[in-house]
Amino acid sequence: MEKRNKYVLFVLLACTLVYGNSFFNDFAYDDHRFILEDVAIRDSSYIGSWFTQDVQGLYRPLRQVLYVVSYSLFGENAFGYHLQSLLLHMGNSLLVLGIGWLLMGSRKGLFAGLLFAVHPIHTGRVTNMTGGFDQLGILFLLGALYLYLLYSKQGKKTYLWSSLLVFVLGLLASEEAIVLFPLILLYDYCIRKNVRRKEYAWYLVISVAYLVLRFFILQIGARAEGYSPYIRFLAMDIAFVKYLWLLFVPFPLTVQRSISLESLSLISPLIFSALVLHVLLLVWAIRSRHRFPTVSYGIMWFYVALLPMSQIVPIQTIMAERYLYVASVGFCFAVVTLVYYLRKFVVDEGLQKKFASGVLWTVIILFSLLTIERNMDWRDDVTLWTDTISVSPRSTLAYNNLGFAYDRIGQYEEAIPYYQNAILIDSKNFRAYSNLGVAYIRLERYGVAVRALNQSIQLDPTYAKSHNFLSIAYQELGKPDEARDALLTAVSLDPLYYEAYNNLGILYARYGEVEGARKAFLKALEISPSYEDAAYNLQILEIEKPQ
């Protein structure tokens, strides 16, 4: 017990040391969209609906509940979200320690837990506050697996029922938990060399019930479309090789990794070589499961853990470093086992005893330094996207987001060239056109703003933001009818767009439609009760209302 407590302390200390400097970071990347700008997480009345419908194409109701709880506790205080993310990562790291302990013994389990705790690839899920919310489902996934391992070793039914319950919670928090059943099968295949058919039935039933609920009852399916299964398979062939490389060499890191889908072909030497590598790894893992059970399990874990993000059901992002959070657990188990195996080739007996711990401590220290350095890239949006462009200079998203970062701090002239570069890289980037139009509005260049916003609408007529800001440009150009039509379109596309309702109220008030203005301001406040602009405008309207 004393050793276990000491190892737990080591893992917790490692997490704290490597992520301590992230507490100085501001909101960045999608933190704005999912924390600061999402009015739904400020109102608990939405909770029931999240269990019966998707949120932006995702079915993660428990994660949404966590957003509500977190916002009620932390509001717009970044420190609280960083603390929450770190605590969840600590929990996951301790579970890796516990699972590794059961698989490999205490010492190897410690190194696996430490390696997981400090790996730089996890900054996308820990340093990024929004990514931290995804850890909830992973905590349940690893917890359910840990409980199953306890059941397999001790035979207590309590562990089995607890594992099943935690599995259900995991599925309600993230679709990544669906890999639990395959991981259990692989554990019994590689480690136990035995099967538990009766127990499998429970996990299979829960898995199938979740899939039926999501895809057939709630009809929450693909989040992207446009490419055939064949092209997606080839893209994943390349992505998986890149993922393997990043686990061993996590530098440089970037939030924007892309794979060109236009010219993929199986006869390409690169793609064919990648496919051969995957086949060889899996064949070796199967054939070596008796001699190297933990390594075999780790390799198969890597591939299975990536299945939810492997475009079987198409998703918007082809490849992302944050997708490696669960897959890296298998990497940690396999690497630790292999390092301990390699020490037998060290001739000197004194060095032989220190070889494994020396190599692993060196890796842990190097990874820790890389993680601490990577945390600094997330300091704010300007820093993050400047770094992203240096790593991914052909990323239209990175240029658009860097422009938007400058826009947020009022540097509109500086933002414009980045929006223009985003459009040069991808002429169909409707968000870049929209943001460019907004920047022109800030600079009172309304004619060119209208052209940019109309181009955005032509590319995507459903993007409510473009319609909202187009109305502002039309108002300044003295075109109230066009402005009203644009705003009515905006709120019809996004019924929760409280800023658009506020702008509609301003438009009505300007042209004497007092009752219409009042209703619009009240609607904005109904959606976002803390929206000060609408409250102020409503107050002015009531003061100036004709008696």
Side-chain angles (χ1 to χ4, degrees):
M1 184 62 69
E2 183 178 344
K3 179 191 290 187
R4 178 166 298 181
N5 291 340
K6 183 170 67 174
Y7 285 1
V8 166
L9 185 61
F10 282 165
V11 171
L12 294 178
L13 183 61
C15 291
T16 304
L17 288 175
V18 298
Y19 286 105
N21 66 329
S22 69
F23 282 73
F24 299 99
N25 293 355
D26 201 353
F27 293 98
Y29 192 19
D30 45 8
D31 296 335
H32 301 279
R33 177 183 177 190
F34 290 101
I35 298 176
L36 299 180
E37 299 169 3
D38 187 355
V39 296
I41 67 172
R42 307 172 194 178
D43 187 350
S44 60
S45 65
Y46 287 98
I47 290 177
S49 66
W50 291 330
F51 287 86
T52 59
Q53 64 188 37
D54 70 291
V55 176
Q56 300 181 19
L58 294 170
Y59 184 66
R60 299 175 181 175
L62 286 186
R63 188 190 71 160
Q64 290 301 116
V65 172
L66 181 61
Y67 270 115
V68 173
V69 174
S70 301
Y71 192 86
S72 68
L73 292 173
F74 312 131
E76 298 185 2
N77 181 359
F79 180 90
Y81 297 99
H82 283 303
L83 177 62
Q84 173 181 276
S85 184
L86 176 59
L87 291 175
L88 287 168
H89 183 58
M90 284 177 170
N92 285 320
S93 299
L94 290 178
L95 284 168
V96 174
L97 165 66
I99 294 169
W101 191 305
L102 295 174
L103 292 178
M104 306 179 292
S106 60
R107 186 73 173 174
K108 294 178 185 177
L110 171 64
F111 280 119
L114 288 172
L115 192 57
F116 180 85
V118 305
H119 203 298
I121 206 70
H122 298 154
T123 50
R125 278 267 168 90
V126 184
T127 313
N128 176 17
M129 289 174 268
T130 299
F133 285 87
D134 295 335
Q135 293 186 64
L136 179 65
I138 297 167
L139 185 73
F140 289 135
L141 163 64
L142 295 177
L145 179 62
Y146 178 66
L147 289 166
Y148 177 83
L149 266 59
L150 289 176
Y151 167 69
S152 70
K153 289 182 177 296
Q154 300 179 22
K156 295 182 180 180
K157 288 288 186 179
T158 304
Y159 290 132
L160 176 63
W161 304 131
S162 299
S163 174
L164 292 168
L165 174 61
V166 175
F167 180 32
V168 172
L169 295 175
L171 291 171
L172 293 175
S174 174
E175 64 277 1
E176 289 181 73
I178 196 68
V179 302
L180 175 64
F181 183 41
L183 290 178
I184 287 174
L185 289 175
L186 289 174
Y187 165 73
D188 287 341
Y189 175 73
C190 295
I191 308 296
R192 292 187 65 249
K193 314 294 191 298
N194 199 357
V195 295
R196 293 176 175 271
R197 292 186 178 86
K198 292 181 180 179
E199 289 81 354
Y200 293 163
W202 292 104
Y203 292 97
L204 180 60
V205 167
I206 292 172
S207 300
V208 172
Y210 167 78
L211 295 173
V212 170
L213 172 67
R214 173 171 174 157
F215 291 107
F216 297 100
I217 298 177
L218 301 180
Q219 296 186 339
I220 303 171
R223 299 184 71 204
E225 55 186 24
Y227 290 96
S228 68
Y230 170 71
I231 294 298
R232 298 199 302 271
F233 169 78
L234 297 182
M236 288 301 98
D237 182 35
I238 295 296
F240 276 41
V241 172
K242 292 186 176 183
Y243 282 141
L244 282 169
W245 176 258
L246 284 170
L247 287 173
F248 285 98
V249 187
F251 181 85
L253 298 179
T254 176
V255 296
Q256 182 62 22
R257 293 194 176 274
S258 60
I259 296 175
S260 176
L261 304 180
E262 306 301 329
S263 58
L264 295 179
S265 171
L266 187 59
I267 61 175
S268 163
L270 180 62
I271 292 178
F272 184 76
S273 299
L275 183 60
V276 170
L277 174 63
H278 299 314
V279 171
L280 290 176
L281 273 175
L282 289 170
V283 169
W284 184 91
I286 293 171
R287 293 175 62 88
S288 302
R289 69 185 181 96
H290 293 288
R291 187 179 181 190
F292 300 104
T294 309
V295 179
S296 297
Y297 187 44
I299 292 172
M300 295 183 191
W301 179 306
F302 166 81
Y303 285 100
V304 166
L306 285 170
L307 286 177
M309 286 75 69
S310 62
Q311 299 294 326
I312 296 172
V313 177
I315 56 179
Q316 295 162 322
T317 304
I318 297 294
M319 180 182 179
E321 292 164 3
R322 64 183 182 275
Y323 292 164
L324 280 169
Y325 194 83
V326 179
S328 68
V329 178
F331 164 82
C332 293
F333 293 156
V335 164
V336 170
T337 305
L338 282 174
V339 170
Y340 267 87
Y341 173 75
L342 290 174
R343 69 177 180 176
K344 66 184 289 185
F345 297 103
V346 178
V347 178
D348 186 277
E349 290 186 7
L351 289 177
Q352 189 180 71
K353 294 179 180 179
K354 300 177 181 179
F355 174 79
S357 59
V359 170
L360 291 170
W361 277 119
T362 300
V363 172
I364 288 168
I365 292 171
L366 288 174
F367 278 11
S368 298
L369 294 174
L370 288 173
T371 298
I372 293 170
E373 182 181 10
R374 178 59 177 162
N375 290 337
M376 298 172 67
D377 294 335
W378 286 85
R379 184 165 58 250
D380 54 46
D381 280 310
V382 171
T383 306
L384 177 65
W385 293 111
T386 300
D387 174 78
T388 303
I389 288 173
S390 70
V391 179
S392 307
R394 294 294 299 168
S395 171
T396 182
L397 175 68
Y399 277 102
N400 177 61
N401 286 359
L402 182 54
F404 197 55
Y406 279 114
D407 192 296
R408 276 199 176 100
I409 58 177
Q411 297 184 22
Y412 310 119
E413 287 285 4
E414 290 81 355
I416 287 174
Y418 292 106
Y419 293 141
Q420 292 171 334
N421 280 336
I423 293 167
L424 284 174
I425 295 170
D426 180 6
S427 60
K428 297 181 180 179
N429 190 336
F430 64 92
R431 288 188 174 86
Y433 274 110
S434 182
N435 291 334
L436 179 62
V438 174
Y440 284 135
I441 288 174
R442 309 292 192 205
L443 295 170
E444 301 182 0
R445 296 162 64 180
Y446 301 114
V448 69
V450 167
R451 289 196 293 273
L453 290 164
N454 275 325
Q455 183 63 38
S456 173
I457 292 169
Q458 183 178 341
L459 291 169
D460 186 354
T462 67
Y463 193 45
K465 175 182 175 179
S466 295
H467 294 279
N468 175 55
F469 281 96
L470 181 61
S471 75
I472 296 174
Y474 277 141
Q475 286 186 60
E476 297 299 332
L477 291 171
K479 298 180 178 181
D481 293 337
E482 290 88 339
R484 184 193 60 228
D485 291 343
L487 281 171
L488 291 174
T489 301
V491 297
S492 68
L493 290 171
D494 184 358
L496 297 180
Y497 201 168
Y498 58 90
E499 294 100 331
Y501 277 109
N502 181 62
N503 290 336
L504 186 60
I506 293 172
L507 178 65
Y508 283 145
R510 178 178 291 181
Y511 292 95
E513 299 181 39
V514 177
E515 187 58 28
R518 180 175 175 275
K519 289 180 180 179
F521 292 140
L522 287 173
K523 184 64 177 179
L525 288 170
E526 176 188 334
I527 298 169
S528 180
S530 61
Y531 187 35
E532 295 180 357
D533 287 357
Y536 174 79
N537 290 333
L538 181 61
Q539 184 180 19
I540 296 298
L541 184 72
E542 296 295 336
I543 292 173
E544 297 180 351
K545 183 172 66 175
Q547 300 298 322

